[in-house]
């Protein structure tokens, strides 16, 4: 379905704030309703100091806020938030334990901007170093460059004192192996002909075959057997299978503003699970995954990196605010540019997931997303601490949730959409 430009502009706001999602979550193809009122100020008036971040940073906000309130630097406060998930081996979206590339190697991206000194640092495709957000700060502080990538970035990190370590946890390695073997009917990965459990792939189970729900049972059963053989814990098997069928992205952005009006931001990620080696998304790109301007504010992104790079999302948002748009409108405008890049083609946009976190210099903020949630009923959220810590539902451009990519021939079975598949 495509919608007219006039209809789109008038109806885009799904106004999900405070309402959450309906029980089933709408499909991306569902009609976007006209005349849905936009909440006047869904996120409240600005307060300083304040920290905003992607919701996966919520557990680290208390410590960072106390640090900021006691006079800590704004960038150091933001880095305290993102370092938490980077250090957590069970968080497979960033840092240690991040899901690897298609060769089974964890490659991390990060960037930061320090508002008060108007400096930036960035690293892309870094292996063997856990806290790439801190490495991006080291690039900013210890070099005349802004961005280092790959082997050079790793060698630099070691030179300035970061330890080399194996970032691939056993759990992430097993999920990668499950992914590799599941997709390997055409190569030499997976059990060979001589394996007693080898079964010829039936045409009916190929991904191109006609949608039939009983195929799901076969596929999941096959994956479960595989997962068991690889030693994936039973309670984590469905979560692993979900990651194999729909490789996740995972990122954390954080922006921090102190009572003097100083502002900084940073973003860190392991990117897209099973990506091509060397792939960099938006997270290390200054102006896409993060942008901070001391005169205006700070913004960052999580979601489809390729789409965000093309609209220079974080920079677009800051420039929108510089021209007077409030944070909510500024963020929604960046989302509309993604929609424009696809000529409003909902059959493609339904596979795109994007969330922006926006903080203006006066403390006004917004969380906006293309869809209300990803993969069924999980709403997109922004975490905030301005003296009170909370998670808030973002304002969505479209009602409903994005669809998994690669596309599924039939609705995902319930056991793969339950909340438990997202837990660490
Ligand atoms: N934006 C990140 C990337 O494309 C992924 C994410 O936000 O989860 O690398």
């Amino acid at each position: 379905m495509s919608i007219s430009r006039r209809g789109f502009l008038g109806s885009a706001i799904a106004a999900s704030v405070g309402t959450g999602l309906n029980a089933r979550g709408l499909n991306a193809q569902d009609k976007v309703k006209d005349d849905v009122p936009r909440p006047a100020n869904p996120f409240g008036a600005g307060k300083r100091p304040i920290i905003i971040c992607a919701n996966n940073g919520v557990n680290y906000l208390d410590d960072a806020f106390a640090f900021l309130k006691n006079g800590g630097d704004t960038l150091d406060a933001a880095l305290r938030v993102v370092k938490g998930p980077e250090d957590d081996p069970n968080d497979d979206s960033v840092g240690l334990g991040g899901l690897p590339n298609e060769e089974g190697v964890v490659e991390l991206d990060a960037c930061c901007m320090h508002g008060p000194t108007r400096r930036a640092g960035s690293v892309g495709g870094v292996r063997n170093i856990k806290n790439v957000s801190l490495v991006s700060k080291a690039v900013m502080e210890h070099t005349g460059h802004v961005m280092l990538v790959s082997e050079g970035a790793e060698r630099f990190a070691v030179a300035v004192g970061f330890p080399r370590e194996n970032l691939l946890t056993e759990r992430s390695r097993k999920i990668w192996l499950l992914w590799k073997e599941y997709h390997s009917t055409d190569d030499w990965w997976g059990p060979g002909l001589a394996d007693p459990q080898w079964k010829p792939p039936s045409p009916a189970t190929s991904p191109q075959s006609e949608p039939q729900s009983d195929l799901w049972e076969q596929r999941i059963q096959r994956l479960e057997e595989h997962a068991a053989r690889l030693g994936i814990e039973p309670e984590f098997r469905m979560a692993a299978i979900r990651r194999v069928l729909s490789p996740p992205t995972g990122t954390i952005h954080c922006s921090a503003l102190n009572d003097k009006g100083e502002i900084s931001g940073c973003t860190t990620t392991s990117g897209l699970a099973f990506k091509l080696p060397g792939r960099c998304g938006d997270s290390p790109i200054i102006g896409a995954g993060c942008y901070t301007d001391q005169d205006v504010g700070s913004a960052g992104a999580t979601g489809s990196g390729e789409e965000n790079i093309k609209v220079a999302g974080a920079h677009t948002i800051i420039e929108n605010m510089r021209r007077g748009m409030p944070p909510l409108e500024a963020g929604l405008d960046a989302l509309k540019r993604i929609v424009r890049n696809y000529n409003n083609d909902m059959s493609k946009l339904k596979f795109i997931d994007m969330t922006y976190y926006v903080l203006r210099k006066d403390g006004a903020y917004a969380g906006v997303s293309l869809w209300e949630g990803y993969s069924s009923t999980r709403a997109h959220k922004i975490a905030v601490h301005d003296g009170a810590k909370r998670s808030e539902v973002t304002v969505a451009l479209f009602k409903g949730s994005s669809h998994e990519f690669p596309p599924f021939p039939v609705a995902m079975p319930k056991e793969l959409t339950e909340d438990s598949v997202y837990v660490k």
Side-chain angles (χ1 to χ4, degrees):
M1 174 190 117
S2 66
I3 53 179
S4 74
R5 177 144 182 86
R6 199 178 72 86
F8 167 66
L9 289 174
S11 69
I13 319 298
S16 60
V17 169
T19 63
L21 297 173
N22 56 29
R24 194 176 61 85
L26 295 171
N27 285 325
Q29 301 97 316
D30 290 345
K31 191 175 181 319
V32 180
K33 271 211 199 124
D34 274 339
D35 306 324
V36 180
R38 181 195 304 191
N41 190 359
F43 299 104
K47 259 171 113 179
R48 298 194 312 209
I50 179 172
I51 305 179
I52 65 164
C53 65
N55 203 43
N56 45 346
V58 69
N59 292 339
Y60 306 96
L61 277 176
D62 283 325
D63 167 66
F65 186 78
F67 171 82
L68 185 65
K69 218 169 166 221
N70 289 331
D73 177 72
T74 48
L75 180 55
D76 290 335
L79 289 167
R80 275 180 181 235
V81 174
V82 306
K83 184 176 182 295
E86 280 181 346
D87 287 341
D88 180 354
N90 290 323
D91 186 321
D92 60 19
S93 65
V94 298
L96 178 64
L99 285 175
N101 66 20
E102 67 175 16
E103 292 175 351
V105 180
V106 179
E107 283 183 347
L108 305 174
D109 307 327
C111 77
C112 68
M113 288 192 88
H114 187 243
T117 57
R118 297 175 188 275
R119 288 181 300 166
S122 158
V123 287
V126 182
R127 301 178 173 194
N128 304 313
I129 310 284
K130 177 176 65 175
N131 295 121
V132 279
S133 60
L134 298 177
V135 181
S136 75
K137 185 189 175 206
V139 171
M140 180 183 92
E141 286 183 332
H142 295 287
T143 78
H145 303 309
V146 168
M147 187 170 197
L148 294 179
V149 300
S150 192
E151 220 188 297
E154 180 183 337
R155 288 212 301 264
F156 164 78
V158 171
V160 294
F162 288 85
R164 264 199 184 97
E165 51 195 304
N166 176 19
L167 304 182
L168 189 65
T169 56
E170 268 306 276
R171 180 185 270 183
S172 289
R173 187 186 63 76
K174 286 174 183 169
I175 296 173
W176 167 76
L177 203 51
L178 185 62
W179 172 82
K180 190 85 185 156
E181 296 192 356
Y182 177 70
H183 288 94
S184 289
T185 49
D186 299 330
D187 63 26
W188 294 100
W189 283 90
L193 273 183
D195 189 286
Q197 294 189 40
W198 187 85
K199 291 180 199 133
S202 100
T205 55
S206 81
Q208 288 80 21
S209 63
E210 284 302 301
Q212 289 172 33
S213 53
D214 55 343
L215 288 185
W216 270 116
E217 261 172 55
Q218 292 174 31
R219 260 188 227 180
I220 291 171
Q221 199 190 332
R222 193 152 61 90
L223 274 160
E224 271 193 286
E225 286 165 12
H226 246 81
R229 278 160 55 106
L230 292 174
I232 295 175
E233 318 96 280
E235 62 281 9
F236 191 67
R237 260 172 225 164
M238 278 303 153
I241 291 170
R242 166 132 201 143
R243 284 158 170 77
V244 166
L245 292 173
S246 179
T249 56
T251 298
I252 174 160
H253 165 78
C254 184
S255 288
L257 171 70
N258 68 14
D259 51 5
K260 292 186 272 184
E262 293 170 340
I263 190 163
S264 295
C266 61
T267 301
T268 182
T269 192
S270 60
L272 173 65
F274 321 132
K275 61 194 174 187
L276 269 66
R279 177 263 188 191
C280 279
D282 58 329
S283 305
I285 309 292
I286 301 287
C290 179
Y291 195 73
T292 305
D293 186 314
Q294 181 54 50
D295 297 336
V296 180
S298 182
T302 60
S304 309
E306 280 72 10
E307 304 312 326
N308 191 36
I309 289 172
K310 290 185 285 182
V311 299
H315 183 261
T316 293
I317 291 168
I318 297 302
E319 293 311 307
N320 283 343
M321 291 199 291
R322 196 193 306 277
R323 289 196 307 274
M325 278 189 202
L328 179 62
E329 212 178 299
L332 289 169
D333 174 73
L335 293 170
K336 288 174 194 169
R337 295 182 192 213
I338 294 174
V339 175
R340 173 67 187 89
N341 279 349
Y342 283 91
N343 292 320
N344 298 348
D345 182 348
M346 300 304 266
S347 69
K348 292 186 176 171
L349 288 166
K350 69 185 180 184
F351 297 113
I352 296 174
D353 182 56
M354 181 56 61
T355 299
Y356 291 121
Y357 311 85
V358 190
L359 180 57
R360 202 170 57 189
K361 205 188 152 185
D362 62 355
Y365 68 95
V368 299
S369 47
L370 192 59
W371 296 98
E372 288 170 297
Y374 47 81
S375 309
S376 75
T377 58
R378 289 177 66 81
H380 285 300
K381 290 183 186 150
I382 177 173
V384 184
H385 203 323
D386 57 4
K389 184 174 72 168
R390 57 200 181 270
S391 292
E392 295 176 343
V393 174
T394 58
V395 168
L397 196 57
F398 297 136
K399 255 198 169 321
S401 51
S402 55
H403 283 203
E404 292 82 11
F405 195 86
F408 278 42
V410 290
M412 220 183 221
K414 194 166 162 290
E415 61 263 45
L416 289 178
T417 58
E418 279 167 1
D419 267 7
S420 56
V421 302
Y422 297 97
V423 297
K424 298 184 211 165

